Amino acid sequence: MRLIVCLKPVPDPKHWNKLRLDPETKTLVRAGVPAVINPLDKKALEAALRLREAHGGEVIVLSMAPPEAAPVLREALAMGADRAVVLSDRAAAGSDTLATAHILAGAVRKIGDFDLILCGDETIDGGTAQVSAQLAEFLDLPNLMHVSDIQAGPEGPLTVRSLIEQGSLLVEIAPPAVLAVAKEINEPRYVTLMNILQAEQKEIAVWSLADLCLSEPCVGLQGSPTQMADLFAPQRTRRAEMLAGEPREMARQLADRLHRLGYC
């Protein structure tokens, strides 16, 4: 099987106190904040590695990221991915989900034949849960989200379990397809020192937008139909009122205030 895993470097949650938004572009300023593999993308990579171990083939990590994200991709290679492709172009900065999916689709076409594209359901820095469906639409492929299990035989369709409210769906889907995984699918493997050393010998190909021959120029902030309109800090109008008296009297006053405010 040839499996492509879409992987996004995201700001390390341990350093979210350092994040800020650009007041002009209204986009996240990531400079100076360490990056990690988006947690659900890491689970998508683990699912791909298990499928390769069971059926053979190749796992390719695909990411749209700046050059400084190389250590994140090296971690993916240390987990067991065979090679990585990173789309790094300043013109892609500020892309919304639609522009991102458009660029990723161009990269997938350049990679060539594949059986599955695996993504995480959503990312912790955006949380839109849109890219996998948009990517599938650009590639004219079936898409299934909230995937908690993937079973593949030697031939024929895949058996995929997709979580829904109050249960799950068991679906047969013929590759190629785009699957987005849920947190329930697995626990990613630990990376050993030997894995890290071996990852240094694996290929990370760097492509620009010029390498993709995109049919439409909908990339970057200017080519994104979804943009933040404004950014402001909400004004807080809370006030505190101190109650005085004996405990029984303060309790009576509090109950009276809550009743007049409609809480009881």
Side-chain angles (χ1 to χ4, degrees):
M1 301 181 74
R2 198 178 201 199
L3 305 132
I4 299 174
V5 180
C6 294
L7 182 152
K8 184 180 182 182
V10 296
D12 188 337
K14 296 177 183 177
H15 298 271
W16 276 4
N17 61 314
K18 301 177 184 177
L19 290 174
R20 60 188 178 88
L21 292 175
D22 188 308
E24 296 296 326
T25 64
K26 308 295 191 298
T27 57
L28 198 64
V29 178
R30 302 172 184 269
V33 182
V36 297
I37 299 175
N38 179 60
L40 287 181
D41 295 350
K42 198 170 188 176
K43 289 175 178 282
L45 175 56
E46 177 65 28
L49 295 173
R50 294 184 187 187
L51 286 171
R52 185 197 61 189
E53 288 166 358
H55 306 284
E58 180 184 28
V59 174
I60 304 168
V61 168
L62 174 60
S63 182
M64 191 173 84
E68 54 266 27
V72 176
L73 299 180
R74 286 291 176 199
E75 181 183 355
L77 294 174
M79 281 183 65
D82 297 288
R83 59 190 178 99
V85 174
V86 58
L87 306 167
S88 187
D89 196 311
R90 294 185 65 86
S95 294
D96 69 354
T97 60
L98 189 68
T100 297
H102 176 58
I103 295 169
L104 291 174
V108 169
R109 295 187 190 99
K110 182 175 174 63
I111 289 173
D113 294 337
F114 62 92
D115 295 286
L116 279 180
I117 298 175
L118 293 166
C119 316
D121 260 348
E122 60 184 357
T123 58
I124 60 174
D125 60 344
T128 62
Q130 295 174 346
V131 170
S132 70
Q134 292 170 333
L135 177 59
E137 185 69 18
F138 278 121
L139 296 172
D140 194 25
L141 294 175
N143 170 241
L144 197 61
M145 298 185 65
H146 317 310
V147 171
S148 63
D149 186 52
I150 307 169
Q151 297 295 327
E155 296 180 358
L158 304 169
T159 302
V160 179
R161 186 174 297 278
S162 174
L163 300 176
I164 59 173
E165 291 185 15
Q166 309 301 321
S168 62
L169 294 174
L170 199 60
V171 181
E172 284 193 346
I173 187 168
V178 181
L179 304 180
V181 307
K183 64 180 181 180
E184 291 82 358
I185 193 167
N186 58 44
E187 285 300 326
R189 65 194 63 192
Y190 289 102
V191 174
T192 67
L193 176 59
M194 185 60 67
N195 296 147
I196 294 171
L197 295 175
Q198 291 172 347
E200 294 297 324
Q201 309 303 317
K202 295 181 181 179
E203 175 191 5
I204 298 181
V206 180
W207 294 349
S208 68
L209 295 180
D211 295 316
L212 304 185
C213 300
L214 298 175
S215 58
E216 300 176 14
C218 56
V219 299
L221 186 62
Q222 297 304 315
S224 297
T226 305
Q227 297 186 17
M228 188 180 294
D230 199 6
L231 174 68
F232 61 91
Q235 294 183 352
R236 298 185 180 275
T237 57
R238 294 179 180 177
R239 65 185 181 86
E241 180 181 352
M242 302 301 294
L243 301 178
E246 295 296 322
R248 184 181 296 274
E249 176 60 20
M250 288 192 290
R252 188 196 64 75
Q253 294 179 49
L254 178 59
D256 181 62
R257 299 288 197 284
L258 292 175
H259 178 72
R260 285 191 281 126
L261 290 170
Y263 291 111
C264 60

